[in-house]
Amino acid sequence: MDQTTALKALIKEEPRFLASRRRILQGAGVAAAAIAVGGLGSPLAAWAEDNGEHDAEQEDLIILRFSTLAGIQQPFLGDAGLSAFRGVHGGGAPWIISEGTGSLRSDGHLRVRVRGLVLDPAFVPAPNGGTNPVPFFMAIVSGFSADPLNPVNLTTAIVPASLAGDADITAMLTLPHPFYAPIVFVTSLPLGTPAAPRWFAVAGTQ
């Protein structure tokens, strides 16, 4: 190809080149605008949500996640006064816990990991203090739906609990809709009079 032919080819391609350059600059402007309004939220994230990219994840949203459980103490002990906390009766003695974690998903999947949930040795003498005398634990998820005065309490099946107070609870619960302010109790199976689960630990800290 001689120089004249090459020059003609370049002139012919120039509008396409300039158009490509304009698209690049326009793209850079959009990116700069996205950075500039980053403090107000991500336009790209909003676009993705508007286009349903996260629809498949909606059923797996975690509505409650906790990394600590608190053992029961006064004034929640027994069957009197504040012990019927959200309609769940308290255990009869103080308990402590080494580790408690868990989560509740919007599809009702519950997981609770309990380690070292035992009678408080500061209040319960040996040989029971510092041990778990209950062979089974279960969980109660407590929240509110249509009635703000009466909580909805959802109970799992019982699972084995070791003498050291270790247990793993996994369950699929049917959550009502709406379902507000859920919390999680770790309880016994129904005991005492009246026969009812007794909670030993609840999502929280102490």
Side-chain angles (χ1 to χ4, degrees), residues 71-86 88-93 185 199 202:
I72 188 171
Q73 302 283 330
Q74 290 284 13
F76 297 100
L77 302 177
D79 295 313
L82 291 174
S83 62
F85 176 33
R86 288 205 181 185
V88 183
H89 292 263
F185 295 92
W199 73 269
V202 67

mmCIF file with all atom_site columns, all heavy atoms in Angstrom, residues 71-86 88-93 185 199 202:
data_model
loop_
_atom_site.group_PDB
_atom_site.id
_atom_site.type_symbol
_atom_site.label_atom_id
_atom_site.label_alt_id
_atom_site.label_comp_id
_atom_site.label_asym_id
_atom_site.label_entity_id
_atom_site.label_seq_id
_atom_site.pdbx_PDB_ins_code
_atom_site.Cartn_x
_atom_site.Cartn_y
_atom_site.Cartn_z
_atom_site.occupancy
_atom_site.B_iso_or_equiv
_atom_site.pdbx_formal_charge
_atom_site.auth_seq_id
_atom_site.auth_comp_id
_atom_site.auth_asym_id
_atom_site.auth_atom_id
_atom_site.pdbx_PDB_model_num
ATOM 1   N N   . GLY A 1 71  ? -25.903 -16.121 79.956 1.00 0.00 ? 71  GLY A N   1
ATOM 2   C CA  . GLY A 1 71  ? -26.554 -17.060 80.858 1.00 0.00 ? 71  GLY A CA  1
ATOM 3   C C   . GLY A 1 71  ? -27.572 -16.366 81.748 1.00 0.00 ? 71  GLY A C   1
ATOM 4   O O   . GLY A 1 71  ? -27.457 -15.181 82.057 1.00 0.00 ? 71  GLY A O   1
ATOM 5   N N   . ILE A 1 72  ? -28.572 -17.109 82.173 1.00 0.00 ? 72  ILE A N   1
ATOM 6   C CA  . ILE A 1 72  ? -29.635 -16.545 82.996 1.00 0.00 ? 72  ILE A CA  1
ATOM 7   C C   . ILE A 1 72  ? -29.117 -16.188 84.390 1.00 0.00 ? 72  ILE A C   1
ATOM 8   O O   . ILE A 1 72  ? -28.321 -16.919 84.985 1.00 0.00 ? 72  ILE A O   1
ATOM 9   C CB  . ILE A 1 72  ? -30.828 -17.518 83.085 1.00 0.00 ? 72  ILE A CB  1
ATOM 10  C CG1 . ILE A 1 72  ? -32.013 -16.842 83.779 1.00 0.00 ? 72  ILE A CG1 1
ATOM 11  C CG2 . ILE A 1 72  ? -30.439 -18.830 83.772 1.00 0.00 ? 72  ILE A CG2 1
ATOM 12  C CD1 . ILE A 1 72  ? -33.300 -17.643 83.717 1.00 0.00 ? 72  ILE A CD1 1
ATOM 13  N N   . GLN A 1 73  ? -29.560 -15.054 84.900 1.00 0.00 ? 73  GLN A N   1
ATOM 14  C CA  . GLN A 1 73  ? -29.249 -14.590 86.248 1.00 0.00 ? 73  GLN A CA  1
ATOM 15  C C   . GLN A 1 73  ? -30.505 -13.935 86.816 1.00 0.00 ? 73  GLN A C   1
ATOM 16  O O   . GLN A 1 73  ? -31.524 -13.806 86.140 1.00 0.00 ? 73  GLN A O   1
ATOM 17  C CB  . GLN A 1 73  ? -28.093 -13.581 86.221 1.00 0.00 ? 73  GLN A CB  1
ATOM 18  C CG  . GLN A 1 73  ? -26.793 -14.097 85.607 1.00 0.00 ? 73  GLN A CG  1
ATOM 19  C CD  . GLN A 1 73  ? -26.027 -15.021 86.555 1.00 0.00 ? 73  GLN A CD  1
ATOM 20  O OE1 . GLN A 1 73  ? -26.108 -14.886 87.770 1.00 0.00 ? 73  GLN A OE1 1
ATOM 21  N NE2 . GLN A 1 73  ? -25.279 -15.971 85.980 1.00 0.00 ? 73  GLN A NE2 1
ATOM 22  N N   . GLN A 1 74  ? -30.442 -13.512 88.082 1.00 0.00 ? 74  GLN A N   1
ATOM 23  C CA  . GLN A 1 74  ? -31.533 -12.723 88.643 1.00 0.00 ? 74  GLN A CA  1
ATOM 24  C C   . GLN A 1 74  ? -31.704 -11.445 87.813 1.00 0.00 ? 74  GLN A C   1
ATOM 25  O O   . GLN A 1 74  ? -30.722 -10.917 87.295 1.00 0.00 ? 74  GLN A O   1
ATOM 26  C CB  . GLN A 1 74  ? -31.212 -12.340 90.106 1.00 0.00 ? 74  GLN A CB  1
ATOM 27  C CG  . GLN A 1 74  ? -31.251 -13.492 91.067 1.00 0.00 ? 74  GLN A CG  1
ATOM 28  C CD  . GLN A 1 74  ? -32.677 -13.919 91.428 1.00 0.00 ? 74  GLN A CD  1
ATOM 29  O OE1 . GLN A 1 74  ? -33.664 -13.517 90.789 1.00 0.00 ? 74  GLN A OE1 1
ATOM 30  N NE2 . GLN A 1 74  ? -32.789 -14.765 92.438 1.00 0.00 ? 74  GLN A NE2 1
ATOM 31  N N   . PRO A 1 75  ? -32.955 -10.941 87.646 1.00 0.00 ? 75  PRO A N   1
ATOM 32  C CA  . PRO A 1 75  ? -34.205 -11.379 88.273 1.00 0.00 ? 75  PRO A CA  1
ATOM 33  C C   . PRO A 1 75  ? -35.046 -12.295 87.383 1.00 0.00 ? 75  PRO A C   1
ATOM 34  O O   . PRO A 1 75  ? -36.268 -12.296 87.501 1.00 0.00 ? 75  PRO A O   1
ATOM 35  C CB  . PRO A 1 75  ? -34.921 -10.057 88.489 1.00 0.00 ? 75  PRO A CB  1
ATOM 36  C CG  . PRO A 1 75  ? -34.546 -9.259  87.266 1.00 0.00 ? 75  PRO A CG  1
ATOM 37  C CD  . PRO A 1 75  ? -33.131 -9.651  86.945 1.00 0.00 ? 75  PRO A CD  1
ATOM 38  N N   . PHE A 1 76  ? -34.423 -13.044 86.514 1.00 0.00 ? 76  PHE A N   1
ATOM 39  C CA  . PHE A 1 76  ? -35.170 -13.851 85.554 1.00 0.00 ? 76  PHE A CA  1
ATOM 40  C C   . PHE A 1 76  ? -35.324 -15.310 85.980 1.00 0.00 ? 76  PHE A C   1
ATOM 41  O O   . PHE A 1 76  ? -35.819 -16.134 85.206 1.00 0.00 ? 76  PHE A O   1
ATOM 42  C CB  . PHE A 1 76  ? -34.476 -13.803 84.187 1.00 0.00 ? 76  PHE A CB  1
ATOM 43  C CG  . PHE A 1 76  ? -34.438 -12.428 83.601 1.00 0.00 ? 76  PHE A CG  1
ATOM 44  C CD1 . PHE A 1 76  ? -33.299 -11.655 83.695 1.00 0.00 ? 76  PHE A CD1 1
ATOM 45  C CD2 . PHE A 1 76  ? -35.541 -11.894 82.958 1.00 0.00 ? 76  PHE A CD2 1
ATOM 46  C CE1 . PHE A 1 76  ? -33.255 -10.378 83.157 1.00 0.00 ? 76  PHE A CE1 1
ATOM 47  C CE2 . PHE A 1 76  ? -35.511 -10.623 82.413 1.00 0.00 ? 76  PHE A CE2 1
ATOM 48  C CZ  . PHE A 1 76  ? -34.363 -9.857  82.515 1.00 0.00 ? 76  PHE A CZ  1
ATOM 49  N N   . LEU A 1 77  ? -34.904 -15.655 87.184 1.00 0.00 ? 77  LEU A N   1
ATOM 50  C CA  . LEU A 1 77  ? -34.935 -17.048 87.625 1.00 0.00 ? 77  LEU A CA  1
ATOM 51  C C   . LEU A 1 77  ? -36.344 -17.488 88.009 1.00 0.00 ? 77  LEU A C   1
ATOM 52  O O   . LEU A 1 77  ? -37.137 -16.705 88.544 1.00 0.00 ? 77  LEU A O   1
ATOM 53  C CB  . LEU A 1 77  ? -34.004 -17.261 88.811 1.00 0.00 ? 77  LEU A CB  1
ATOM 54  C CG  . LEU A 1 77  ? -32.518 -16.912 88.597 1.00 0.00 ? 77  LEU A CG  1
ATOM 55  C CD1 . LEU A 1 77  ? -31.750 -17.123 89.888 1.00 0.00 ? 77  LEU A CD1 1
ATOM 56  C CD2 . LEU A 1 77  ? -31.933 -17.751 87.470 1.00 0.00 ? 77  LEU A CD2 1
ATOM 57  N N   . GLY A 1 78  ? -36.645 -18.782 87.762 1.00 0.00 ? 78  GLY A N   1
ATOM 58  C CA  . GLY A 1 78  ? -37.865 -19.392 88.282 1.00 0.00 ? 78  GLY A CA  1
ATOM 59  C C   . GLY A 1 78  ? -39.121 -18.987 87.547 1.00 0.00 ? 78  GLY A C   1
ATOM 60  O O   . GLY A 1 78  ? -39.098 -18.602 86.385 1.00 0.00 ? 78  GLY A O   1
ATOM 61  N N   . ASP A 1 79  ? -40.235 -19.051 88.251 1.00 0.00 ? 79  ASP A N   1
ATOM 62  C CA  . ASP A 1 79  ? -41.551 -18.838 87.647 1.00 0.00 ? 79  ASP A CA  1
ATOM 63  C C   . ASP A 1 79  ? -42.244 -17.571 88.135 1.00 0.00 ? 79  ASP A C   1
ATOM 64  O O   . ASP A 1 79  ? -43.424 -17.378 87.860 1.00 0.00 ? 79  ASP A O   1
ATOM 65  C CB  . ASP A 1 79  ? -42.466 -20.033 87.959 1.00 0.00 ? 79  ASP A CB  1
ATOM 66  C CG  . ASP A 1 79  ? -41.972 -21.307 87.316 1.00 0.00 ? 79  ASP A CG  1
ATOM 67  O OD1 . ASP A 1 79  ? -41.640 -21.259 86.122 1.00 0.00 ? 79  ASP A OD1 1
ATOM 68  O OD2 . ASP A 1 79  ? -41.906 -22.336 88.001 1.00 0.00 ? 79  ASP A OD2 1
ATOM 69  N N   . ALA A 1 80  ? -41.542 -16.712 88.854 1.00 0.00 ? 80  ALA A N   1
ATOM 70  C CA  . ALA A 1 80  ? -42.185 -15.519 89.405 1.00 0.00 ? 80  ALA A CA  1
ATOM 71  C C   . ALA A 1 80  ? -41.576 -14.260 88.783 1.00 0.00 ? 80  ALA A C   1
ATOM 72  O O   . ALA A 1 80  ? -40.455 -14.255 88.274 1.00 0.00 ? 80  ALA A O   1
ATOM 73  C CB  . ALA A 1 80  ? -42.012 -15.473 90.925 1.00 0.00 ? 80  ALA A CB  1
ATOM 74  N N   . GLY A 1 81  ? -42.356 -13.189 88.840 1.00 0.00 ? 81  GLY A N   1
ATOM 75  C CA  . GLY A 1 81  ? -41.848 -11.887 88.422 1.00 0.00 ? 81  GLY A CA  1
ATOM 76  C C   . GLY A 1 81  ? -41.416 -11.844 86.968 1.00 0.00 ? 81  GLY A C   1
ATOM 77  O O   . GLY A 1 81  ? -42.160 -12.227 86.064 1.00 0.00 ? 81  GLY A O   1
ATOM 78  N N   . LEU A 1 82  ? -40.185 -11.394 86.726 1.00 0.00 ? 82  LEU A N   1
ATOM 79  C CA  . LEU A 1 82  ? -39.690 -11.214 85.369 1.00 0.00 ? 82  LEU A CA  1
ATOM 80  C C   . LEU A 1 82  ? -39.255 -12.514 84.707 1.00 0.00 ? 82  LEU A C   1
ATOM 81  O O   . LEU A 1 82  ? -38.796 -12.496 83.563 1.00 0.00 ? 82  LEU A O   1
ATOM 82  C CB  . LEU A 1 82  ? -38.499 -10.245 85.381 1.00 0.00 ? 82  LEU A CB  1
ATOM 83  C CG  . LEU A 1 82  ? -38.823 -8.787  85.714 1.00 0.00 ? 82  LEU A CG  1
ATOM 84  C CD1 . LEU A 1 82  ? -37.543 -7.986  85.829 1.00 0.00 ? 82  LEU A CD1 1
ATOM 85  C CD2 . LEU A 1 82  ? -39.725 -8.177  84.659 1.00 0.00 ? 82  LEU A CD2 1
ATOM 86  N N   . SER A 1 83  ? -39.392 -13.626 85.405 1.00 0.00 ? 83  SER A N   1
ATOM 87  C CA  . SER A 1 83  ? -38.860 -14.867 84.853 1.00 0.00 ? 83  SER A CA  1
ATOM 88  C C   . SER A 1 83  ? -39.587 -15.303 83.586 1.00 0.00 ? 83  SER A C   1
ATOM 89  O O   . SER A 1 83  ? -39.004 -15.956 82.723 1.00 0.00 ? 83  SER A O   1
ATOM 90  C CB  . SER A 1 83  ? -38.939 -15.989 85.888 1.00 0.00 ? 83  SER A CB  1
ATOM 91  O OG  . SER A 1 83  ? -40.293 -16.237 86.225 1.00 0.00 ? 83  SER A OG  1
ATOM 92  N N   . ALA A 1 84  ? -40.868 -14.966 83.446 1.00 0.00 ? 84  ALA A N   1
ATOM 93  C CA  . ALA A 1 84  ? -41.597 -15.302 82.223 1.00 0.00 ? 84  ALA A CA  1
ATOM 94  C C   . ALA A 1 84  ? -41.286 -14.231 81.179 1.00 0.00 ? 84  ALA A C   1
ATOM 95  O O   . ALA A 1 84  ? -42.088 -13.364 80.868 1.00 0.00 ? 84  ALA A O   1
ATOM 96  C CB  . ALA A 1 84  ? -43.088 -15.393 82.487 1.00 0.00 ? 84  ALA A CB  1
ATOM 97  N N   . PHE A 1 85  ? -40.091 -14.297 80.665 1.00 0.00 ? 85  PHE A N   1
ATOM 98  C CA  . PHE A 1 85  ? -39.562 -13.305 79.733 1.00 0.00 ? 85  PHE A CA  1
ATOM 99  C C   . PHE A 1 85  ? -39.993 -13.691 78.327 1.00 0.00 ? 85  PHE A C   1
ATOM 100 O O   . PHE A 1 85  ? -39.622 -14.744 77.824 1.00 0.00 ? 85  PHE A O   1
ATOM 101 C CB  . PHE A 1 85  ? -38.044 -13.277 79.887 1.00 0.00 ? 85  PHE A CB  1
ATOM 102 C CG  . PHE A 1 85  ? -37.305 -12.387 78.956 1.00 0.00 ? 85  PHE A CG  1
ATOM 103 C CD1 . PHE A 1 85  ? -37.848 -11.194 78.501 1.00 0.00 ? 85  PHE A CD1 1
ATOM 104 C CD2 . PHE A 1 85  ? -36.045 -12.727 78.524 1.00 0.00 ? 85  PHE A CD2 1
ATOM 105 C CE1 . PHE A 1 85  ? -37.151 -10.371 77.656 1.00 0.00 ? 85  PHE A CE1 1
ATOM 106 C CE2 . PHE A 1 85  ? -35.327 -11.915 77.678 1.00 0.00 ? 85  PHE A CE2 1
ATOM 107 C CZ  . PHE A 1 85  ? -35.884 -10.729 77.234 1.00 0.00 ? 85  PHE A CZ  1
ATOM 108 N N   . ARG A 1 86  ? -40.861 -12.849 77.713 1.00 0.00 ? 86  ARG A N   1
ATOM 109 C CA  . ARG A 1 86  ? -41.483 -13.156 76.428 1.00 0.00 ? 86  ARG A CA  1
ATOM 110 C C   . ARG A 1 86  ? -42.248 -14.484 76.488 1.00 0.00 ? 86  ARG A C   1
ATOM 111 O O   . ARG A 1 86  ? -42.307 -15.229 75.523 1.00 0.00 ? 86  ARG A O   1
ATOM 112 C CB  . ARG A 1 86  ? -40.461 -13.188 75.305 1.00 0.00 ? 86  ARG A CB  1
ATOM 113 C CG  . ARG A 1 86  ? -39.920 -11.820 74.922 1.00 0.00 ? 86  ARG A CG  1
ATOM 114 C CD  . ARG A 1 86  ? -39.441 -11.823 73.494 1.00 0.00 ? 86  ARG A CD  1
ATOM 115 N NE  . ARG A 1 86  ? -38.896 -10.541 73.110 1.00 0.00 ? 86  ARG A NE  1
ATOM 116 C CZ  . ARG A 1 86  ? -38.488 -10.251 71.876 1.00 0.00 ? 86  ARG A CZ  1
ATOM 117 N NH1 . ARG A 1 86  ? -38.560 -11.174 70.933 1.00 0.00 ? 86  ARG A NH1 1
ATOM 118 N NH2 . ARG A 1 86  ? -37.995 -9.077  71.575 1.00 0.00 ? 86  ARG A NH2 1
ATOM 119 N N   . VAL A 1 88  ? -41.427 -17.100 78.132 1.00 0.00 ? 88  VAL A N   1
ATOM 120 C CA  . VAL A 1 88  ? -40.544 -18.253 78.320 1.00 0.00 ? 88  VAL A CA  1
ATOM 121 C C   . VAL A 1 88  ? -40.079 -18.253 79.774 1.00 0.00 ? 88  VAL A C   1
ATOM 122 O O   . VAL A 1 88  ? -39.507 -17.268 80.243 1.00 0.00 ? 88  VAL A O   1
ATOM 123 C CB  . VAL A 1 88  ? -39.331 -18.189 77.374 1.00 0.00 ? 88  VAL A CB  1
ATOM 124 C CG1 . VAL A 1 88  ? -38.476 -19.441 77.537 1.00 0.00 ? 88  VAL A CG1 1
ATOM 125 C CG2 . VAL A 1 88  ? -39.793 -18.041 75.927 1.00 0.00 ? 88  VAL A CG2 1
ATOM 126 N N   . HIS A 1 89  ? -40.310 -19.351 80.477 1.00 0.00 ? 89  HIS A N   1
ATOM 127 C CA  . HIS A 1 89  ? -39.968 -19.441 81.889 1.00 0.00 ? 89  HIS A CA  1
ATOM 128 C C   . HIS A 1 89  ? -38.455 -19.560 82.071 1.00 0.00 ? 89  HIS A C   1
ATOM 129 O O   . HIS A 1 89  ? -37.762 -20.189 81.273 1.00 0.00 ? 89  HIS A O   1
ATOM 130 C CB  . HIS A 1 89  ? -40.660 -20.652 82.532 1.00 0.00 ? 89  HIS A CB  1
ATOM 131 C CG  . HIS A 1 89  ? -42.149 -20.504 82.616 1.00 0.00 ? 89  HIS A CG  1
ATOM 132 N ND1 . HIS A 1 89  ? -42.796 -20.081 83.748 1.00 0.00 ? 89  HIS A ND1 1
ATOM 133 C CD2 . HIS A 1 89  ? -43.117 -20.717 81.688 1.00 0.00 ? 89  HIS A CD2 1
ATOM 134 C CE1 . HIS A 1 89  ? -44.102 -20.050 83.534 1.00 0.00 ? 89  HIS A CE1 1
ATOM 135 N NE2 . HIS A 1 89  ? -44.322 -20.424 82.292 1.00 0.00 ? 89  HIS A NE2 1
ATOM 136 N N   . GLY A 1 90  ? -37.978 -18.990 83.171 1.00 0.00 ? 90  GLY A N   1
ATOM 137 C CA  . GLY A 1 90  ? -36.552 -19.043 83.461 1.00 0.00 ? 90  GLY A CA  1
ATOM 138 C C   . GLY A 1 90  ? -36.154 -20.296 84.205 1.00 0.00 ? 90  GLY A C   1
ATOM 139 O O   . GLY A 1 90  ? -36.960 -20.926 84.897 1.00 0.00 ? 90  GLY A O   1
ATOM 140 N N   . GLY A 1 91  ? -34.894 -20.684 84.053 1.00 0.00 ? 91  GLY A N   1
ATOM 141 C CA  . GLY A 1 91  ? -34.353 -21.773 84.851 1.00 0.00 ? 91  GLY A CA  1
ATOM 142 C C   . GLY A 1 91  ? -34.319 -21.392 86.322 1.00 0.00 ? 91  GLY A C   1
ATOM 143 O O   . GLY A 1 91  ? -34.382 -20.215 86.682 1.00 0.00 ? 91  GLY A O   1
ATOM 144 N N   . GLY A 1 92  ? -34.193 -22.394 87.170 1.00 0.00 ? 92  GLY A N   1
ATOM 145 C CA  . GLY A 1 92  ? -34.287 -22.149 88.600 1.00 0.00 ? 92  GLY A CA  1
ATOM 146 C C   . GLY A 1 92  ? -32.998 -21.706 89.258 1.00 0.00 ? 92  GLY A C   1
ATOM 147 O O   . GLY A 1 92  ? -33.006 -21.332 90.435 1.00 0.00 ? 92  GLY A O   1
ATOM 148 N N   . ALA A 1 93  ? -31.868 -21.739 88.544 1.00 0.00 ? 93  ALA A N   1
ATOM 149 C CA  . ALA A 1 93  ? -30.572 -21.362 89.113 1.00 0.00 ? 93  ALA A CA  1
ATOM 150 C C   . ALA A 1 93  ? -29.792 -20.575 88.064 1.00 0.00 ? 93  ALA A C   1
ATOM 151 O O   . ALA A 1 93  ? -30.079 -20.673 86.861 1.00 0.00 ? 93  ALA A O   1
ATOM 152 C CB  . ALA A 1 93  ? -29.792 -22.611 89.531 1.00 0.00 ? 93  ALA A CB  1
ATOM 153 N N   . PHE A 1 185 ? -33.518 -18.069 72.543 1.00 0.00 ? 185 PHE A N   1
ATOM 154 C CA  . PHE A 1 185 ? -33.251 -18.664 73.842 1.00 0.00 ? 185 PHE A CA  1
ATOM 155 C C   . PHE A 1 185 ? -32.679 -20.062 73.647 1.00 0.00 ? 185 PHE A C   1
ATOM 156 O O   . PHE A 1 185 ? -33.096 -20.784 72.732 1.00 0.00 ? 185 PHE A O   1
ATOM 157 C CB  . PHE A 1 185 ? -34.531 -18.822 74.664 1.00 0.00 ? 185 PHE A CB  1
ATOM 158 C CG  . PHE A 1 185 ? -35.219 -17.555 75.070 1.00 0.00 ? 185 PHE A CG  1
ATOM 159 C CD1 . PHE A 1 185 ? -36.221 -17.015 74.274 1.00 0.00 ? 185 PHE A CD1 1
ATOM 160 C CD2 . PHE A 1 185 ? -34.906 -16.922 76.260 1.00 0.00 ? 185 PHE A CD2 1
ATOM 161 C CE1 . PHE A 1 185 ? -36.895 -15.865 74.660 1.00 0.00 ? 185 PHE A CE1 1
ATOM 162 C CE2 . PHE A 1 185 ? -35.567 -15.769 76.660 1.00 0.00 ? 185 PHE A CE2 1
ATOM 163 C CZ  . PHE A 1 185 ? -36.563 -15.229 75.856 1.00 0.00 ? 185 PHE A CZ  1
ATOM 164 N N   . TRP A 1 199 ? -35.476 -21.459 80.177 1.00 0.00 ? 199 TRP A N   1
ATOM 165 C CA  . TRP A 1 199 ? -34.348 -20.929 79.427 1.00 0.00 ? 199 TRP A CA  1
ATOM 166 C C   . TRP A 1 199 ? -33.116 -20.756 80.330 1.00 0.00 ? 199 TRP A C   1
ATOM 167 O O   . TRP A 1 199 ? -33.208 -20.370 81.481 1.00 0.00 ? 199 TRP A O   1
ATOM 168 C CB  . TRP A 1 199 ? -34.709 -19.644 78.691 1.00 0.00 ? 199 TRP A CB  1
ATOM 169 C CG  . TRP A 1 199 ? -34.884 -18.371 79.465 1.00 0.00 ? 199 TRP A CG  1
ATOM 170 C CD1 . TRP A 1 199 ? -36.047 -17.877 79.997 1.00 0.00 ? 199 TRP A CD1 1
ATOM 171 C CD2 . TRP A 1 199 ? -33.879 -17.384 79.735 1.00 0.00 ? 199 TRP A CD2 1
ATOM 172 N NE1 . TRP A 1 199 ? -35.829 -16.662 80.591 1.00 0.00 ? 199 TRP A NE1 1
ATOM 173 C CE2 . TRP A 1 199 ? -34.515 -16.327 80.452 1.00 0.00 ? 199 TRP A CE2 1
ATOM 174 C CE3 . TRP A 1 199 ? -32.519 -17.291 79.468 1.00 0.00 ? 199 TRP A CE3 1
ATOM 175 C CZ2 . TRP A 1 199 ? -33.815 -15.188 80.883 1.00 0.00 ? 199 TRP A CZ2 1
ATOM 176 C CZ3 . TRP A 1 199 ? -31.823 -16.171 79.902 1.00 0.00 ? 199 TRP A CZ3 1
ATOM 177 C CH2 . TRP A 1 199 ? -32.474 -15.136 80.598 1.00 0.00 ? 199 TRP A CH2 1
ATOM 178 N N   . VAL A 1 202 ? -29.691 -16.641 76.560 1.00 0.00 ? 202 VAL A N   1
ATOM 179 C CA  . VAL A 1 202 ? -30.407 -15.880 75.552 1.00 0.00 ? 202 VAL A CA  1
ATOM 180 C C   . VAL A 1 202 ? -29.410 -15.014 74.792 1.00 0.00 ? 202 VAL A C   1
ATOM 181 O O   . VAL A 1 202 ? -28.339 -14.675 75.319 1.00 0.00 ? 202 VAL A O   1
ATOM 182 C CB  . VAL A 1 202 ? -31.511 -15.001 76.213 1.00 0.00 ? 202 VAL A CB  1
ATOM 183 C CG1 . VAL A 1 202 ? -30.886 -13.905 77.069 1.00 0.00 ? 202 VAL A CG1 1
ATOM 184 C CG2 . VAL A 1 202 ? -32.462 -14.411 75.177 1.00 0.00 ? 202 VAL A CG2 1
#
